[in-house]
Amino acid sequence: MKLLYEGKAKRLYETEQPDELLMEFKDDATAFNGEKHALFENKGRMNQALSLLLMQLLEKEGVATHFVRTIDDIHMIVKNVEIIKVEVVVRNVAAGSLCKRTWFEEGAPLKTPIVEYFLKDDDLGDPMISDDHIREMELATPEEVAQLKAGALRINEILKPFFLKTGLNLVDFKLEFGRLASDPSTIILADEITPDTCRLWDTTTGEKMDKDRFRRDLGNVMESYAEVLKRAEDAVHS
Ligand code: TMP
Ligand code: ASP
């Protein structure tokens, strides 16, 4: 099958159907724009399982996602989209780059979620941009940006209480959206939702249960991913 795109944690292949692609979850983990790299056995499998569970939860709540069906533990069929080159970050608690750029202290709760946009360009290190940059670069129209923001906040309203049920605080997360190849006027969520792309802190111990364990050399990376997946599965089945 023809490889269309290889990212740091995923590969996308063409299928016989022009409106569908095959997505593969890799075991690779990278941080600091690829400067740091490691392989974690089972990461791909666990990320697909959690992402799948969360996409199904979102679909049930009326959020359109790219998920079509699973093939095996690390492969799923997704809708073919033209990715909008804007990474949408939603924050409920101050952490990560927000604390480096501003006066917020790590762990400070935010009164209202903060939405930020980053240009999806590895060569530039994914710089933060505003809605004006998005309009001028014609990455998306103002109407589309409004859809991205409303969509990201709606997803936060679904995921935050879901993770709370599992004893995890959804500190922040990153989303990507795309225009359907078959109907570019329709924008859908076209990304994974995993501990690679979210910050999740245990509500009682405050322990970090996400990729910050890898970024900051905290150890037990896969143990934490497995624990997040187990808690999410338990919450769905309860
Ligand atoms: P940040 O605090 O480094 O800006 O990250 C915000 C959120 O976005 C955090 O949950 C991790 C996620 N993220 C990605 O998914 N990919 C990235 O390349 C970066 C920098 C962050
Ligand atoms: N995913 C990015 C990288 O591979 C950054 C990160 O998640 O920290 O470098």
Side-chain angles (χ1 to χ4, degrees):
M1 239 175 293
K2 191 177 156 206
L3 179 67
L4 290 180
Y5 167 85
E6 175 148 13
K8 287 179 281 225
K10 288 186 298 285
R11 292 189 187 92
L12 276 174
Y13 299 88
E14 217 172 56
T15 69
E16 292 93 67
Q17 300 278 88
D19 55 347
E20 292 182 353
L21 302 177
L22 179 73
M23 190 159 100
E24 179 180 87
F25 285 80
K26 305 199 293 185
D27 281 344
D28 300 64
T30 65
F32 313 117
N33 206 14
E35 263 175 53
K36 186 169 171 175
H37 175 260
L39 275 178
F40 289 100
E41 205 183 331
N42 277 327
K43 174 171 166 288
R45 190 184 59 75
M46 290 197 282
N47 275 0
Q48 164 152 316
L50 183 66
S51 206
L52 171 63
L53 179 156
L54 296 174
M55 296 267 171
Q56 286 171 333
L57 179 76
L58 292 174
E59 291 275 358
K60 228 191 313 178
E61 298 289 335
V63 176
T65 78
H66 67 168
F67 173 70
V68 179
R69 62 182 179 279
T70 45
I71 298 292
D72 63 26
D73 280 1
I74 57 162
H75 294 99
M76 58 167 75
I77 298 288
V78 297
K79 289 178 185 155
N80 189 5
V81 297
E82 179 206 357
I83 283 286
I84 296 172
K85 292 196 169 300
V86 176
E87 300 192 350
V88 183
V89 168
V90 180
R91 301 178 186 274
N92 296 305
V93 176
S97 72
L98 178 65
C99 300
K100 294 200 184 111
R101 280 183 274 114
T102 66
W103 295 331
F104 288 104
E105 302 272 358
E106 184 175 87
L110 303 171
K111 291 189 279 295
T112 311
I114 290 179
V115 177
E116 295 172 344
Y117 306 112
F118 295 85
L119 177 64
K120 190 172 159 62
D121 183 328
D122 284 342
D123 293 341
L124 294 178
D126 296 347
M128 190 162 88
I129 52 176
S130 75
D131 49 353
D132 285 347
H133 296 107
I134 296 173
R135 186 196 63 243
E136 280 301 314
M137 287 191 280
E138 297 183 357
L139 301 169
T141 65
E143 294 72 27
E144 287 178 327
V145 174
Q147 278 187 56
L148 300 186
K149 182 168 183 177
L153 288 171
R154 170 88 186 108
I155 290 167
N156 187 44
E157 286 307 309
I158 300 166
L159 294 186
K160 206 174 117 175
F162 174 76
F163 277 118
L164 263 188
K165 270 205 305 189
T166 76
L168 294 166
N169 197 354
L170 179 60
V171 169
D172 56 37
F173 58 97
K174 182 268 299 179
L175 299 171
E176 291 176 33
F177 295 84
R179 301 178 191 94
L180 273 184
S182 57
D183 170 21
S185 66
T186 301
I187 292 179
I188 61 171
L189 174 66
D191 201 4
E192 63 179 270
I193 308 177
T194 67
D196 278 5
T197 60
C198 299
R199 284 195 174 89
L200 296 161
W201 295 353
D202 187 282
T203 45
T204 44
T205 64
E207 204 180 350
K208 298 181 198 313
M209 306 285 285
D210 53 68
K211 199 164 102 176
D212 271 346
R213 300 204 70 81
F214 170 66
R215 293 189 190 97
R216 299 184 182 193
D217 297 317
L218 300 174
N220 294 330
V221 180
M222 281 307 103
E223 288 80 354
S224 295
Y225 280 50
E227 175 68 18
V228 170
L229 176 60
K230 185 184 167 296
R231 291 193 198 185
E233 284 173 343
D234 288 348
V236 162
H237 297 130
S238 71

